[in-house]
Amino acid sequence: MGNHHLACKLWVCALCTGFLLPLTGAAQTATDTIGSKVHRLQDVTVKGRRTPPPALAGSPLQQLQRAEWMRLGALDVSDAVRHFSGVSVKDYGGIGGLKTVSVRSLGAAHTAICYDGVAVSDCQSGQVDISRFSLDNVSLLSLSIGQSDGLFLPAKLFASAGTLTIETVRPDFTSHTTQLGARIKTGSFGLFNPSLTVARKLGNRWSLSASGDYLRADGAYPFRLRNGGQLIASKRANSDIESYRAEVNLFAALTPRQNLQAKVYLFDSERGLPGSVVYDNPYAAERLTDRNYFAQLRYENRFSPRMKMQAVAKYNYSWNRDADDRSSGLTDDRFRQTETYLSATLWAEPLKGWSFSLAQDGVYNDLSTTLRNCQYPERFTSLTVVAAHVQTPRLSVTASLLNTYLTETVRTGEAAPDRKRLSPSASVSWKPFDAGLRLRASYKDIFRVPTFNDLYYLLIGNSRLKPENTRQFNFGTTWSGSPCKWLDFLDASADVYYNRVTDKIVAMPTLFVWKMMNVGKVETLGLDVNLSTAFRPCALLKVYLSGTYNWMQAEDVTDRASKVWRNQIAYTPRHSGSGSCTLETPWANLSYQLLYASERYRMAQNTADNRIAPYTDHGLTLSRHFRWGRHGLHVQLDALNLSNKNYEIVRFYPMPGRNYKITLNYQL
């Protein structure tokens, strides 16, 4: 049912209710002239679907609910994120391979990862490995490109070109004071992944939830890979992983207007990094040990319906060990980084539909390593944001201005100079008609600061680097509604975008060594299309359909005289997309998934030697939910990569062929 029809019916119901209530009251005090009885009117229920947030957003926004990625057979966050349009996930193969996410060819360092309202960062590399996050305790995944319409955010979430937000499950104690969830996944290549979640209500104001999981896999999958004229048939080596993850959340309703949430997170893993397969050489011995612990606290005070504030504090500790037994000798490098983060945000709505916010963040980062000539850098960052939002029934306008100030110190050598920058962003969404159609446009001028590796890593670091600048333009349209009776809903969006990156940080050869330089320029023109719908062909069958398509022309425009002028940048397909079809019945649900990417190139030159072949990945998911009393059991079977192709996302890193997994999920 469309929003217009829903509004009309609600108005009619309200009018009828206002007219009939006095008559109903009179009927209860006077006798009926016909039968001397009181007649009770039957309840009227009006059903309508709320317009989803992506259709209302001024900047591109995509979301996946828990039920949706379960239908897609997603094992981890990276599996689910691949179904967003305009996203590239760099995957080095296998369950243990590192996975980073890039939005619209901008690079992983331009994508912020937000975990329960607080940014996750890595000052050393600027890239967050999203394989460390489990889907077992997640309720929502969302991706915003540009700046979201939300104002009640820490300033750090205004400081990136795109944001992947991960929201964990918050316990609902409406019917019971204790909740229990147990899940086990097992499957091909030695996969074994049990997890446990417990939530308990502690009185009227306090509640506690705890979750933990263990993951192991040998990752020794067979593969056949053509390398030039040679066909390699072997088994993947050094692709095993063993990890532990635990998380504890404390929720407190201090007063009716004050909330407090505390989180402690622990992640410990030891994995092999599968090397590139070159000329029938599958040897790899590099081992990576990760230990990541953080604690965060979020306090919110709603002074009145028109004013509220939040304060956030976080401490993050990361330790990594990278050991490799190469032919040139054994290496054993260790890295430790910490982050202390404080944030405060004030939001106010002085006039109805007019809201403003002010956010102030302070961040301290440091890095120490066992590498020779380590400079032990420290970074102090101040982020200040002023934002405004205007909302009317047909128009939504959001604007923000971010001020960034950074200063760094080192124990030895030369520290990077201080940096100051103003970064504006704006978006508008307009509803020209009463139907579900909306037009939108957005702009964001943002940058990424050079990482500690860019600035100080051995001889290639360059402390004189400038920030990498990005300008994003987006024009699009969204539509949400039900154009005909047999469709439950239809959501569609199409966006044309243009990005320009200047002062791009790349490694360039100098007289004696390679050096990080600000020499790159990239121009990107693209199109994103998203479509989803659901309908019932008969009473016992419901069909869900969804699809995404992205066309992206991301070209190097650094030097007209260069051999790579107007070449597609590395690892960026011109065409990519995804699709899914789910059949939901009273007995079982069956889902088919598809992922596609056209040819790419592993280096700046688009030559045949650098070409990576296109790929298509097909999967099937069969699931059934059982319930008796308070108990629930969800059984899911997944068959992935049905065509059994060892395609590559990263050159010379073959992906697993056909594989299977089974998931049992018990809820109490």
Side-chain angles (χ1 to χ4, degrees):
M1 183 181 295
N3 292 336
H4 175 67
H5 298 95
L6 175 60
C8 290
K9 290 197 173 186
L10 288 173
W11 183 82
V12 170
C13 288
L15 182 63
C16 292
T17 302
F19 178 74
L20 291 173
L21 275 176
L23 299 182
T24 306
Q28 293 174 348
T29 56
T31 59
D32 190 299
T33 56
I34 298 176
S36 300
K37 295 182 180 179
V38 175
H39 295 275
R40 179 182 177 85
L41 293 176
Q42 293 184 350
D43 294 336
V44 177
T45 302
V46 179
K47 294 184 178 180
R49 178 174 177 263
R50 184 190 299 269
T51 303
L56 303 174
S59 297
L61 174 66
Q62 302 172 69
Q63 292 184 335
L64 277 177
Q65 305 281 349
R66 186 177 186 85
E68 294 174 294
W69 71 66
M70 289 181 67
R71 290 198 298 264
L72 297 173
L75 176 65
D76 55 27
V77 173
S78 65
D79 292 336
V81 169
R82 285 191 181 98
H83 291 271
F84 288 141
S85 64
V87 169
S88 299
V89 176
K90 214 170 193 179
D91 192 330
Y92 291 85
I95 297 174
L98 299 176
K99 299 171 178 63
T100 60
V101 58
S102 170
V103 176
R104 291 182 174 177
S105 79
L106 296 174
H110 283 279
T111 305
I113 308 298
C114 175
Y115 195 71
D116 276 347
V118 184
V120 179
S121 59
D122 188 313
C123 63
Q124 180 184 354
S125 66
Q127 305 181 43
V128 177
D129 177 18
I130 59 174
S131 68
R132 72 176 60 174
F133 302 110
S134 170
L135 280 177
D136 291 349
N137 194 38
V138 173
S139 61
L140 177 68
L141 291 173
S142 63
L143 176 72
S144 60
I145 302 175
Q147 186 56 50
S148 70
D149 292 340
L151 302 188
F152 198 51
L153 301 171
K156 204 171 184 180
L157 296 183
F158 289 78
S160 59
T163 303
L164 174 64
T165 300
I166 304 172
E167 295 184 15
T168 60
V169 176
R170 180 154 187 165
D172 181 11
F173 299 105
T174 304
S175 55
H176 304 285
T177 58
T178 302
Q179 295 179 358
L180 174 66
R183 175 180 296 187
I184 184 169
K185 299 177 187 174
T186 186
S188 304
F189 319 128
L191 172 64
F192 179 64
N193 179 208
S195 65
L196 181 68
T197 301
V198 180
R200 175 74 177 177
K201 187 175 182 181
L202 308 174
N204 295 327
R205 297 184 177 181
W206 300 81
S207 61
L208 183 72
S209 71
S211 63
D213 71 83
Y214 168 77
L215 171 68
R216 72 160 301 278
D218 56 48
Y221 53 88
F223 67 89
R224 295 172 65 86
L225 181 67
R226 183 169 297 280
N227 192 344
Q230 188 177 21
L231 186 64
I232 302 172
S234 186
K235 185 170 282 191
R236 202 69 168 114
N238 203 48
S239 188
D240 62 295
I241 184 173
E242 184 175 31
S243 69
Y244 304 85
R245 184 185 296 103
E247 182 177 319
V248 178
N249 292 277
L250 179 66
F251 306 93
L254 303 178
T255 69
R257 294 183 176 181
Q258 299 181 73
N259 293 334
L260 182 69
Q261 180 180 354
K263 178 190 296 289
V264 176
Y265 176 93
L266 303 95
F267 175 76
D268 197 322
S269 78
E270 202 273 332
R271 73 182 86 182
L273 295 182
S276 58
V277 179
V278 183
Y279 299 115
D280 201 13
N281 180 21
Y283 174 79
E286 187 174 5
R287 310 293 298 179
L288 180 65
T289 303
D290 285 309
R291 293 172 184 166
N292 179 214
Y293 315 131
F294 69 76
Q296 64 188 45
L297 192 68
R298 181 178 179 273
Y299 166 78
E300 180 179 340
N301 191 332
R302 298 173 296 280
F303 301 109
S304 71
R306 295 198 170 185
M307 179 175 288
K308 58 184 176 180
M309 66 84 65
Q310 71 170 359
V312 173
K314 179 180 180 179
Y315 177 77
N316 181 82
Y317 171 88
S318 294
W319 182 88
N320 311 94
R321 179 186 181 188
D322 186 356
D324 198 0
D325 186 8
R326 306 175 184 175
S327 57
S328 58
L330 180 67
T331 62
D332 190 350
D333 301 324
R334 306 183 186 197
F335 309 85
R336 180 193 63 83
Q337 58 175 301
T338 68
E339 178 180 87
T340 303
Y341 172 62
L342 297 172
S343 173
T345 305
L346 178 65
W347 176 92
E349 188 183 29
L351 299 173
K352 186 176 181 181
W354 293 70
S355 56
F356 304 87
S357 72
L358 173 65
Q360 175 64 54
D361 289 9
V363 191
Y364 166 77
N365 298 97
D366 77 304
L367 173 68
S368 63
T369 77
T370 58
L371 298 174
R372 68 181 187 276
N373 300 323
C374 177
Q375 295 179 252
Y376 300 96
E378 296 178 292
R379 174 179 291 169
F380 301 87
T381 307
S382 173
L383 301 167
T384 307
V385 170
V386 177
H389 179 69
V390 178
Q391 180 74 52
T392 70
R394 292 188 180 272
L395 185 67
S396 175
V397 180
T398 305
S400 66
L401 183 64
L402 166 69
N403 177 67
T404 304
Y405 172 73
L406 293 98
T407 183
E408 295 180 10
T409 62
V410 294
R411 293 188 193 176
T412 61
E414 181 183 9
D418 294 349
R419 306 172 190 87
K420 301 177 183 179
R421 185 71 62 89
L422 289 174
S423 304
S425 70
S427 65
V428 58
S429 174
W430 177 46
K431 184 179 180 182
F433 316 111
D434 288 337
L437 178 71
R438 286 181 178 267
L439 305 177
R440 65 186 179 191
S442 61
Y443 166 77
K444 187 168 188 177
D445 184 346
I446 197 62
F447 65 95
R448 81 158 178 96
V449 180
T451 66
F452 282 164
N453 280 353
D454 295 332
L455 297 167
Y456 307 111
Y457 186 76
L458 296 179
L459 295 177
I460 70 171
N462 181 2
S463 62
R464 310 306 295 178
L465 286 174
K466 296 181 291 184
E468 191 174 283
N469 299 307
T470 300
R471 290 187 175 182
Q472 302 169 264
F473 300 85
N474 189 93
F475 304 93
T477 181
T478 67
W479 196 90
S480 179
S482 180
C484 50
K485 292 183 179 180
W486 57 274
L487 278 181
D488 285 10
F489 67 87
L490 176 64
D491 295 334
S493 69
D495 290 274
V496 177
Y497 58 89
Y498 172 80
N499 300 333
R500 186 173 179 85
V501 180
T502 57
D503 291 328
K504 190 171 180 62
I505 300 172
V506 296
M508 296 290 293
T510 62
L511 183 59
F512 299 106
V513 296
W514 287 72
K515 204 77 171 175
M516 305 304 294
M517 299 286 187
N518 290 107
V519 297
K521 294 181 182 178
V522 175
E523 211 170 52
T524 302
L525 182 65
L527 168 69
D528 278 349
V529 178
N530 294 271
L531 182 69
S532 62
T533 187
F535 59 92
R536 284 190 178 275
C538 62
L540 299 179
L541 176 64
K542 188 169 185 178
V543 180
Y544 293 88
L545 295 173
S546 67
T548 67
Y549 170 73
N550 176 244
W551 172 76
M552 191 187 313
Q553 180 178 284
E555 297 177 335
D556 189 316
V557 294
T558 305
D559 182 5
R560 287 181 178 271
S562 170
K563 292 182 179 180
V564 299
W565 170 258
R566 288 294 178 184
N567 278 207
Q568 188 85 346
I569 66 173
Y571 292 107
T572 303
R574 289 189 184 273
H575 306 276
S576 61
S578 67
S580 70
C581 175
T582 300
L583 308 179
E584 188 178 90
T585 74
W587 310 281
N589 300 333
L590 178 65
S591 178
Y592 165 76
Q593 312 96 35
L594 167 71
L595 293 171
Y596 169 76
S598 65
E599 66 178 11
R600 292 136 288 137
Y601 297 90
R602 68 185 179 99
M603 298 183 71
Q605 285 187 283
N606 294 173
T607 62
D609 291 339
N610 293 328
R611 179 180 181 270
I612 304 176
Y615 72 85
T616 305
D617 191 325
H618 310 265
L620 283 176
T621 297
L622 180 66
S623 63
R624 170 73 189 271
H625 191 77
F626 302 89
R627 176 162 293 280
W628 62 101
R630 288 184 55 194
H631 306 272
L633 178 65
H634 184 81
V635 181
Q636 182 169 310
L637 306 174
D638 296 290
L640 306 176
N641 197 357
L642 295 175
S643 57
N644 199 30
K645 300 293 185 181
N646 296 116
Y647 61 86
E648 297 172 306
I649 296 178
V650 177
R651 186 70 169 122
F652 302 125
Y653 286 79
M655 297 294 289
R658 186 182 301 116
N659 60 96
Y660 308 92
K661 71 175 184 282
I662 180 172
T663 304
L664 303 177
N665 187 2
Y666 168 78
Q667 297 289 333
L668 175 62

mmCIF file with all atom_site columns, all heavy atoms in Angstrom, residues 137-148:
data_model
loop_
_atom_site.group_PDB
_atom_site.id
_atom_site.type_symbol
_atom_site.label_atom_id
_atom_site.label_alt_id
_atom_site.label_comp_id
_atom_site.label_asym_id
_atom_site.label_entity_id
_atom_site.label_seq_id
_atom_site.pdbx_PDB_ins_code
_atom_site.Cartn_x
_atom_site.Cartn_y
_atom_site.Cartn_z
_atom_site.occupancy
_atom_site.B_iso_or_equiv
_atom_site.pdbx_formal_charge
_atom_site.auth_seq_id
_atom_site.auth_comp_id
_atom_site.auth_asym_id
_atom_site.auth_atom_id
_atom_site.pdbx_PDB_model_num
ATOM 1  N N   . ASN A 1 137 ? 26.288 -11.962 16.233 1.00 0.00 ? 137 ASN A N   1
ATOM 2  C CA  . ASN A 1 137 ? 25.715 -11.039 17.215 1.00 0.00 ? 137 ASN A CA  1
ATOM 3  C C   . ASN A 1 137 ? 25.383 -9.687  16.591 1.00 0.00 ? 137 ASN A C   1
ATOM 4  O O   . ASN A 1 137 ? 25.311 -8.675  17.276 1.00 0.00 ? 137 ASN A O   1
ATOM 5  C CB  . ASN A 1 137 ? 26.697 -10.853 18.379 1.00 0.00 ? 137 ASN A CB  1
ATOM 6  C CG  . ASN A 1 137 ? 26.046 -10.195 19.581 1.00 0.00 ? 137 ASN A CG  1
ATOM 7  O OD1 . ASN A 1 137 ? 24.891 -10.474 19.903 1.00 0.00 ? 137 ASN A OD1 1
ATOM 8  N ND2 . ASN A 1 137 ? 26.774 -9.309  20.239 1.00 0.00 ? 137 ASN A ND2 1
ATOM 9  N N   . VAL A 1 138 ? 25.162 -9.665  15.260 1.00 0.00 ? 138 VAL A N   1
ATOM 10 C CA  . VAL A 1 138 ? 24.906 -8.411  14.550 1.00 0.00 ? 138 VAL A CA  1
ATOM 11 C C   . VAL A 1 138 ? 23.447 -8.356  14.120 1.00 0.00 ? 138 VAL A C   1
ATOM 12 O O   . VAL A 1 138 ? 22.876 -9.355  13.669 1.00 0.00 ? 138 VAL A O   1
ATOM 13 C CB  . VAL A 1 138 ? 25.835 -8.283  13.324 1.00 0.00 ? 138 VAL A CB  1
ATOM 14 C CG1 . VAL A 1 138 ? 25.466 -7.072  12.485 1.00 0.00 ? 138 VAL A CG1 1
ATOM 15 C CG2 . VAL A 1 138 ? 27.287 -8.178  13.781 1.00 0.00 ? 138 VAL A CG2 1
ATOM 16 N N   . SER A 1 139 ? 22.832 -7.183  14.242 1.00 0.00 ? 139 SER A N   1
ATOM 17 C CA  . SER A 1 139 ? 21.423 -7.020  13.853 1.00 0.00 ? 139 SER A CA  1
ATOM 18 C C   . SER A 1 139 ? 21.264 -6.241  12.557 1.00 0.00 ? 139 SER A C   1
ATOM 19 O O   . SER A 1 139 ? 20.280 -6.413  11.843 1.00 0.00 ? 139 SER A O   1
ATOM 20 C CB  . SER A 1 139 ? 20.645 -6.312  14.962 1.00 0.00 ? 139 SER A CB  1
ATOM 21 O OG  . SER A 1 139 ? 21.174 -5.010  15.198 1.00 0.00 ? 139 SER A OG  1
ATOM 22 N N   . LEU A 1 140 ? 22.225 -5.343  12.235 1.00 0.00 ? 140 LEU A N   1
ATOM 23 C CA  . LEU A 1 140 ? 22.070 -4.483  11.059 1.00 0.00 ? 140 LEU A CA  1
ATOM 24 C C   . LEU A 1 140 ? 23.435 -4.112  10.495 1.00 0.00 ? 140 LEU A C   1
ATOM 25 O O   . LEU A 1 140 ? 24.369 -3.796  11.244 1.00 0.00 ? 140 LEU A O   1
ATOM 26 C CB  . LEU A 1 140 ? 21.311 -3.196  11.439 1.00 0.00 ? 140 LEU A CB  1
ATOM 27 C CG  . LEU A 1 140 ? 21.129 -2.151  10.333 1.00 0.00 ? 140 LEU A CG  1
ATOM 28 C CD1 . LEU A 1 140 ? 20.179 -2.665  9.256  1.00 0.00 ? 140 LEU A CD1 1
ATOM 29 C CD2 . LEU A 1 140 ? 20.620 -0.828  10.908 1.00 0.00 ? 140 LEU A CD2 1
ATOM 30 N N   . LEU A 1 141 ? 23.537 -4.163  9.166  1.00 0.00 ? 141 LEU A N   1
ATOM 31 C CA  . LEU A 1 141 ? 24.688 -3.640  8.439  1.00 0.00 ? 141 LEU A CA  1
ATOM 32 C C   . LEU A 1 141 ? 24.193 -2.512  7.541  1.00 0.00 ? 141 LEU A C   1
ATOM 33 O O   . LEU A 1 141 ? 23.197 -2.670  6.836  1.00 0.00 ? 141 LEU A O   1
ATOM 34 C CB  . LEU A 1 141 ? 25.338 -4.723  7.574  1.00 0.00 ? 141 LEU A CB  1
ATOM 35 C CG  . LEU A 1 141 ? 26.069 -5.861  8.276  1.00 0.00 ? 141 LEU A CG  1
ATOM 36 C CD1 . LEU A 1 141 ? 26.491 -6.911  7.258  1.00 0.00 ? 141 LEU A CD1 1
ATOM 37 C CD2 . LEU A 1 141 ? 27.281 -5.346  9.030  1.00 0.00 ? 141 LEU A CD2 1
ATOM 38 N N   . SER A 1 142 ? 24.886 -1.388  7.558  1.00 0.00 ? 142 SER A N   1
ATOM 39 C CA  . SER A 1 142 ? 24.494 -0.282  6.682  1.00 0.00 ? 142 SER A CA  1
ATOM 40 C C   . SER A 1 142 ? 25.744 0.378   6.119  1.00 0.00 ? 142 SER A C   1
ATOM 41 O O   . SER A 1 142 ? 26.785 0.447   6.783  1.00 0.00 ? 142 SER A O   1
ATOM 42 C CB  . SER A 1 142 ? 23.620 0.737   7.416  1.00 0.00 ? 142 SER A CB  1
ATOM 43 O OG  . SER A 1 142 ? 24.327 1.332   8.484  1.00 0.00 ? 142 SER A OG  1
ATOM 44 N N   . LEU A 1 143 ? 25.608 0.858   4.886  1.00 0.00 ? 143 LEU A N   1
ATOM 45 C CA  . LEU A 1 143 ? 26.713 1.530   4.207  1.00 0.00 ? 143 LEU A CA  1
ATOM 46 C C   . LEU A 1 143 ? 26.228 2.882   3.714  1.00 0.00 ? 143 LEU A C   1
ATOM 47 O O   . LEU A 1 143 ? 25.288 2.958   2.912  1.00 0.00 ? 143 LEU A O   1
ATOM 48 C CB  . LEU A 1 143 ? 27.217 0.694   3.030  1.00 0.00 ? 143 LEU A CB  1
ATOM 49 C CG  . LEU A 1 143 ? 28.321 1.344   2.187  1.00 0.00 ? 143 LEU A CG  1
ATOM 50 C CD1 . LEU A 1 143 ? 29.637 1.359   2.962  1.00 0.00 ? 143 LEU A CD1 1
ATOM 51 C CD2 . LEU A 1 143 ? 28.495 0.612   0.863  1.00 0.00 ? 143 LEU A CD2 1
ATOM 52 N N   . SER A 1 144 ? 26.838 3.946   4.186  1.00 0.00 ? 144 SER A N   1
ATOM 53 C CA  . SER A 1 144 ? 26.528 5.290   3.709  1.00 0.00 ? 144 SER A CA  1
ATOM 54 C C   . SER A 1 144 ? 27.707 5.801   2.896  1.00 0.00 ? 144 SER A C   1
ATOM 55 O O   . SER A 1 144 ? 28.859 5.644   3.297  1.00 0.00 ? 144 SER A O   1
ATOM 56 C CB  . SER A 1 144 ? 26.231 6.241   4.874  1.00 0.00 ? 144 SER A CB  1
ATOM 57 O OG  . SER A 1 144 ? 27.342 6.346   5.742  1.00 0.00 ? 144 SER A OG  1
ATOM 58 N N   . ILE A 1 145 ? 27.411 6.392   1.739  1.00 0.00 ? 145 ILE A N   1
ATOM 59 C CA  . ILE A 1 145 ? 28.437 6.930   0.855  1.00 0.00 ? 145 ILE A CA  1
ATOM 60 C C   . ILE A 1 145 ? 28.282 8.442   0.847  1.00 0.00 ? 145 ILE A C   1
ATOM 61 O O   . ILE A 1 145 ? 27.203 8.966   0.578  1.00 0.00 ? 145 ILE A O   1
ATOM 62 C CB  . ILE A 1 145 ? 28.294 6.356   -0.563 1.00 0.00 ? 145 ILE A CB  1
ATOM 63 C CG1 . ILE A 1 145 ? 28.385 4.828   -0.520 1.00 0.00 ? 145 ILE A CG1 1
ATOM 64 C CG2 . ILE A 1 145 ? 29.365 6.921   -1.488 1.00 0.00 ? 145 ILE A CG2 1
ATOM 65 C CD1 . ILE A 1 145 ? 28.142 4.155   -1.854 1.00 0.00 ? 145 ILE A CD1 1
ATOM 66 N N   . GLY A 1 146 ? 29.354 9.146   1.138  1.00 0.00 ? 146 GLY A N   1
ATOM 67 C CA  . GLY A 1 146 ? 29.245 10.573  1.398  1.00 0.00 ? 146 GLY A CA  1
ATOM 68 C C   . GLY A 1 146 ? 28.957 10.768  2.876  1.00 0.00 ? 146 GLY A C   1
ATOM 69 O O   . GLY A 1 146 ? 29.519 10.077  3.722  1.00 0.00 ? 146 GLY A O   1
ATOM 70 N N   . GLN A 1 147 ? 28.073 11.684  3.208  1.00 0.00 ? 147 GLN A N   1
ATOM 71 C CA  . GLN A 1 147 ? 27.730 11.940  4.597  1.00 0.00 ? 147 GLN A CA  1
ATOM 72 C C   . GLN A 1 147 ? 26.274 11.574  4.851  1.00 0.00 ? 147 GLN A C   1
ATOM 73 O O   . GLN A 1 147 ? 25.388 11.983  4.106  1.00 0.00 ? 147 GLN A O   1
ATOM 74 C CB  . GLN A 1 147 ? 27.963 13.410  4.955  1.00 0.00 ? 147 GLN A CB  1
ATOM 75 C CG  . GLN A 1 147 ? 27.769 13.723  6.420  1.00 0.00 ? 147 GLN A CG  1
ATOM 76 C CD  . GLN A 1 147 ? 28.653 12.865  7.310  1.00 0.00 ? 147 GLN A CD  1
ATOM 77 O OE1 . GLN A 1 147 ? 29.848 12.759  7.101  1.00 0.00 ? 147 GLN A OE1 1
ATOM 78 N NE2 . GLN A 1 147 ? 28.061 12.233  8.309  1.00 0.00 ? 147 GLN A NE2 1
ATOM 79 N N   . SER A 1 148 ? 26.030 10.799  5.901  1.00 0.00 ? 148 SER A N   1
ATOM 80 C CA  . SER A 1 148 ? 24.666 10.411  6.241  1.00 0.00 ? 148 SER A CA  1
ATOM 81 C C   . SER A 1 148 ? 23.883 11.614  6.748  1.00 0.00 ? 148 SER A C   1
ATOM 82 O O   . SER A 1 148 ? 24.452 12.657  7.101  1.00 0.00 ? 148 SER A O   1
ATOM 83 C CB  . SER A 1 148 ? 24.674 9.306   7.301  1.00 0.00 ? 148 SER A CB  1
ATOM 84 O OG  . SER A 1 148 ? 25.107 9.824   8.549  1.00 0.00 ? 148 SER A OG  1
#
